[in-house]
């Protein structure tokens, strides 16, 4: 199975050491439904001898049962489409990961869905990838899904794109067809930030230009897919300039040791480097860089290490250690970002969530939706809320200073997730595009306050012999269910001035025996108890 089977049998330790030193390339495959993504991955593994014998036997048996291939042929897509629903429908639903290696590199493949309703799955699979393989059916050319996946790849900062024009056998390996599709794709991607794009004509079903050059397309002088995956340069993609170390954990096993654990998000740290802790702004120097194997003189992006400092400065989980010689990140409580919404319940501006940025979690909200991006056409549309799988440019406001960089500069400190505070479910993901100027933000509206408090402002009057007692009971019940409310019992107050101010603030005002025609809703406590009043408020859409 393996290209290193001889080394495994003679010196297992040498094999493991060699394997550990290989460069890792993460890539995803995406494209329209039935473009052949899963078949391509299966062919890649099959022709490069990366399938175990028992795996191949199981797939051969499943191919016979399903009847999807002719006699003696193997449905290679079954190597990837592991879910029962995927096999039944002949589509990819969830992101499937496969692992293999060659003599020079290790690979992690993310096979992502092609359906628009699984955009969140595709975004999740793409978030850690260095390269994207975008498949195009040679019979149909550039499709809407092709554009959508290219936009998402661009949005997530994937720097390398391989456009695999598949099913060339069905267009008689025509060079002109290949050239037309290539020109159409390049014309579309002029507006996207895609810098390194390669085109390969292939047939995943027959193996043309997958691992070996195709004799059917002598006019193509480029590299086959496997050779390109092995040789494409990714080392320079990492940001080794701006040193960023989000603190995951403070390690204090005894009185003599205090270290800060985490994974370096970008840049390089050296023993003796001066550092700045943010958001506090305190300064110190790196005393040591500690790992399980021992101390290091330097550590760089993606390494998990523990830093000890020469000075006892206050640093805790969620803070960021920054190399003083590098450019400083931004510290602010507002930022602009592109957000992918990932749940059925719509995102409404003003609603409170937990924002997790690197290792720091802070409460906050999406204060403004600037525009929703049509992922199929790239057009911008006005939006009051964000639905499942939609993407929008937004301003995010957090309730404490956050340390961040633009996503294009540092993924580790420029990406965040949005977590529902009640269910603890991840409901959205975002990529920071820059800071937000408060002067650019619209004023707070009545709709904003209603979204924040989950209620419509109203003036409620209670009358009857138990009105005062019922007013405070109602206030407690509304407060316990997350509403903003207050009780007014003093009839001497100037209600004509006070009540409009309270209503403008978005509050529910409960007045006891208020005189005059000021109420939106009135209840007689001699005829209705507190629960009946509360249910009436729910029926009136006030709460």
């Amino acid at each position: 199975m393996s290209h290193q089977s001889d080394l495994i049998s003679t010196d297992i330790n040498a094999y493991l050491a060699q394997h550990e030193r290989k460069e890792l390339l993460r890539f995803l495959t995406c494209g329209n439904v039935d473009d052949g993504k899963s078949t391509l991955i299966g062919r890649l593994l099959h022709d490069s001898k990366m399938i175990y014998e028992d795996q191949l036997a199981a797939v051969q048996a499943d191919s016979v049962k399903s009847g999807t291939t002719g006699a003696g042929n193997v449905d290679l897509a079954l190597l990837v489409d592991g879910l029962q629903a995927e096999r039944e429908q002949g589509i990819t639903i969830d992101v499937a990961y496969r692992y293999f290696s060659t003599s020079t590199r290790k690979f992690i493949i993310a096979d992502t869905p092609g359906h628009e309703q699984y955009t969140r799955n595709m975004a999740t699979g793409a978030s850690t990838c260095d390269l994207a393989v975008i498949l195009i059916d040679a019979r149909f050319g550039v499709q809407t899904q092709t554009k959508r996946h290219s936009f998402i790849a661009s949005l997530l900062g994937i720097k390398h794109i391989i456009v695999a024009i598949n099913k060339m056998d069905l267009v008689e390996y025509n060079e002109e067809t290949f050239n037309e599709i290539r020109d159409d794709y390049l014309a579309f991607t002029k507006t996207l930030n895609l810098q390194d794009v390669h085109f390969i004509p292939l047939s995943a079903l027959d193996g043309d230009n997958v691992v070996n050059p195709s004799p059917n397309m002598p006019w193509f002088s480029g590299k086959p897919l496997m050779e390109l995956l092995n040789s494409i340069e990714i080392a320079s993609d990492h940001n080794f300039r701006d040193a960023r170390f989000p603190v995951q954990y403070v390690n204090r096993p005894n009185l003599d040791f205090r270290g800060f654990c985490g994974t370096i998000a970008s840049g390089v740290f050296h023993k003796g480097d001066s550092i700045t802790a943010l958001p506090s702004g305190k300064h110190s120097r790196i005393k040591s860089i500690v790992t399980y194997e021992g101390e290091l003189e330097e550590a760089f992006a993606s390494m998990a290490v523990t830093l000890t400092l020469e000075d006892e400065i206050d640093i805790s989980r969620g803070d960021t250690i920054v190399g003083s010689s590098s450019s400083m990140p931004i510290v602010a409580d507002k930022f602009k970002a592109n957000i992918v919404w990932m749940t059925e319940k719509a995102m409404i501006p003003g609603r409170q969530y937990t924002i997790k940025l690197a290792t720091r979690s802070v409460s906050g909200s999406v204060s403004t939706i600037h525009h929703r991006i049509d992922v199929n056409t790239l057009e911008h549309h006005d939006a009051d809320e964000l639905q499942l799988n939609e993407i929008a440019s937004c301003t995010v406001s957090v309730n404490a200073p956050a340390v961040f960089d633009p996503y294009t500069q540092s993924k580790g400190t420029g990406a965040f997730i949005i977590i529902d505070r009640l269910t603890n479910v991840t409901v959205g993901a975002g990529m920071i595009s820059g800071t937000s100027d408060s002067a650019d933000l619209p004023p707070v509206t009545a709709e904003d306050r209603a979204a924040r408090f989950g209620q419509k402002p109203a003036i409620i009057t209670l009358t009857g012999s138990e009105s005062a007692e019922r007013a405070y009971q109602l206030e407690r019940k509304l407060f316990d269910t997350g509403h903003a409310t207050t009780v007014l019992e003093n009839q001497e107050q100037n209600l004509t001035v006070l009540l409009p101010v309270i209503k403008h603030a978005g509050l529910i005002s409960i007045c006891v025996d208020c005189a005059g025609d000021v109420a939106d809703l009135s209840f007689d406590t001699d005829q209705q108890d507190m629960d009946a009043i509360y249910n009436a408020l729910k029926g009136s859409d006030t709460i």
Side-chain angles (χ1 to χ4, degrees):
M1 172 261 181
S2 173
H3 50 274
Q4 292 145 326
S5 55
D6 293 339
L7 186 58
I8 291 176
S9 61
T10 56
D11 190 345
I12 185 64
N13 291 326
Y15 165 74
L16 292 175
Q18 182 190 68
H19 187 71
E20 186 178 1
R21 289 192 295 268
K22 290 178 186 176
E23 186 177 43
L24 173 65
L25 172 67
R26 298 173 181 263
F27 71 94
L28 77 152
T29 58
C30 50
N32 212 335
V33 179
D34 294 331
D35 275 352
K37 299 182 297 299
S38 299
T39 301
L40 176 63
I41 295 176
R43 174 61 65 184
L44 201 62
L45 298 175
H46 181 272
D47 286 8
S48 57
K49 312 299 182 187
M50 290 293 138
I51 305 174
Y52 291 104
E53 292 180 1
D54 58 340
Q55 279 183 306
L56 185 58
V59 170
Q60 287 172 334
D62 286 345
S63 299
V64 173
K65 289 179 184 178
S66 64
T68 55
T69 60
N73 293 325
V74 180
D75 185 357
L76 296 174
L78 296 180
L79 284 167
V80 181
D81 287 336
L83 297 178
Q84 184 65 31
E86 294 177 325
R87 296 185 179 220
E88 290 174 355
Q89 300 179 51
I91 62 172
T92 300
I93 295 175
D94 202 2
V95 181
Y97 294 96
R98 290 295 179 270
Y99 309 85
F100 73 101
S101 65
T102 63
S103 58
T104 56
R105 266 184 179 162
K106 296 178 289 188
F107 297 92
I108 300 178
I109 313 173
D111 183 29
T112 60
H115 290 67
E116 184 173 358
Q117 61 264 40
Y118 303 127
T119 295
R120 59 179 175 177
N121 303 55
M122 190 264 179
T124 301
S127 61
T128 60
C129 288
D130 308 297
L131 179 147
V133 178
I134 298 178
L135 270 78
I136 297 178
D137 191 319
R139 297 171 298 173
F140 307 125
V142 176
Q143 299 289 297
T144 300
Q145 250 105 325
T146 310
K147 298 177 180 180
R148 176 162 55 87
H149 293 150
S150 299
F151 167 67
I152 295 174
S154 171
L155 186 71
L156 291 169
I158 297 178
K159 300 182 182 296
H160 308 282
I161 304 292
I162 296 177
V163 181
I165 302 175
N166 192 24
K167 303 186 181 181
M168 288 297 293
D169 53 313
L170 301 182
V171 294
E172 300 179 350
Y173 306 103
N174 188 282
E175 181 181 5
E176 185 177 341
T177 301
F178 170 78
N179 291 334
E180 288 177 0
I181 295 173
R182 181 189 60 193
D183 294 342
D184 288 346
Y185 185 85
L186 290 174
F188 165 74
T189 56
K190 284 181 180 179
T191 58
L192 301 180
N193 186 28
L194 299 179
Q195 303 167 352
D196 184 29
V197 183
H198 304 263
F199 295 87
I200 302 176
L202 54 81
S203 170
L205 186 64
D206 297 329
D208 293 280
N209 280 338
V210 177
V211 173
N212 302 306
S214 171
N216 297 311
M217 291 175 279
W219 45 266
F220 178 68
S221 58
K223 299 176 181 178
L225 179 60
M226 177 61 87
E227 186 178 346
L228 189 56
L229 291 173
N230 258 323
S231 60
I232 204 162
E233 177 62 43
I234 62 169
S236 60
D237 296 346
H238 300 288
N239 181 351
F240 293 112
R241 303 178 307 277
D242 305 312
R244 307 283 189 264
F245 183 78
V247 177
Q248 175 74 24
Y249 172 68
V250 179
N251 186 10
R252 191 70 186 270
N254 54 59
L255 295 177
D256 300 322
F257 185 89
R258 183 167 179 257
F260 305 102
C261 309
T263 300
I264 299 175
S266 63
V268 182
F269 288 91
H270 301 85
K271 185 177 178 178
D273 280 355
S274 60
I275 60 93
T276 302
L278 295 175
S280 69
K282 301 291 185 181
H283 302 283
S284 184
R285 287 185 177 275
I286 296 176
K287 182 179 180 181
S288 62
I289 302 174
V290 182
T291 69
Y292 180 78
E293 289 80 13
E295 293 191 12
L296 303 175
E297 290 298 315
E298 67 175 21
F300 48 85
S302 78
M303 291 181 65
V305 298
T306 298
L307 301 182
T308 66
L309 305 180
E310 293 181 354
D311 305 290
E312 289 286 339
I313 61 176
D314 184 18
I315 299 177
S316 57
R317 172 183 168 85
D319 291 348
T320 302
I321 296 175
V322 180
S324 298
S325 61
S326 63
S327 64
M328 286 291 108
I330 302 164
V331 181
D333 60 0
K334 286 187 177 68
F335 51 83
K336 287 184 178 179
N338 292 309
I339 292 176
V340 182
W341 199 244
M342 297 181 168
T343 190
E344 296 282 354
K345 186 177 181 181
M347 185 274 286
I348 299 175
R351 183 173 290 163
Q352 292 289 295
Y353 300 97
T354 297
I355 311 295
K356 189 173 188 300
L357 175 57
T359 59
R360 183 171 177 80
S361 295
V362 61
S363 61
S365 65
V366 175
S367 56
T368 307
I369 300 178
H370 300 293
H371 56 260
R372 179 178 61 81
I373 304 169
D374 188 323
V375 294
N376 298 325
T377 64
L378 304 188
E379 295 177 346
H380 294 175
H381 303 283
D382 293 335
D384 298 323
E385 60 183 22
L386 205 57
Q387 299 288 345
L388 172 65
N389 290 321
E390 291 184 340
I391 300 174
S393 173
C394 307
T395 290
V396 178
S397 299
V398 292
N399 299 327
V403 180
F404 59 88
D405 293 285
Y407 182 79
T408 53
Q409 178 180 335
S410 172
K411 288 186 178 182
T413 53
F416 62 94
I417 59 173
I418 305 173
I419 302 170
D420 187 279
R421 298 168 70 184
L422 296 178
T423 63
N424 210 35
V425 170
T426 299
V427 294
M431 289 71 65
I432 296 174
S433 56
T435 56
S436 178
D437 187 351
S438 298
D440 296 334
L441 301 178
V444 179
T445 65
E447 290 75 15
D448 294 333
R449 296 187 180 91
R452 168 65 60 86
F453 298 135
Q455 65 189 33
K456 292 196 300 186
I459 300 171
I460 302 167
T461 61
L462 300 182
T463 58
S465 59
E466 299 182 349
S467 58
E469 181 181 352
R470 293 287 181 262
Y472 289 105
Q473 290 177 355
L474 180 60
E475 181 188 30
R476 168 51 65 181
K477 189 169 184 67
L478 289 171
F479 182 82
D480 288 346
T481 53
H483 298 288
T485 182
T486 187
V487 173
L488 293 177
E489 194 177 354
N490 185 354
Q491 298 183 42
E492 300 301 321
Q493 297 176 84
N494 188 352
L495 298 182
T496 57
V497 175
L498 186 58
L499 288 175
V501 173
I502 294 175
K503 193 170 181 179
H504 177 73
L507 306 181
I508 296 175
S509 176
I510 306 171
C511 296
V512 179
D513 292 323
C514 293
D517 186 18
V518 296
D520 296 302
L521 297 166
S522 298
F523 301 98
D524 186 345
T525 59
D526 291 335
Q527 299 179 12
Q528 295 173 285
D529 61 16
M530 193 268 295
D531 288 335
I533 295 172
Y534 182 80
N535 291 331
L537 290 177
K538 292 180 68 176
S540 68
D541 294 330
T542 300
I543 60 175

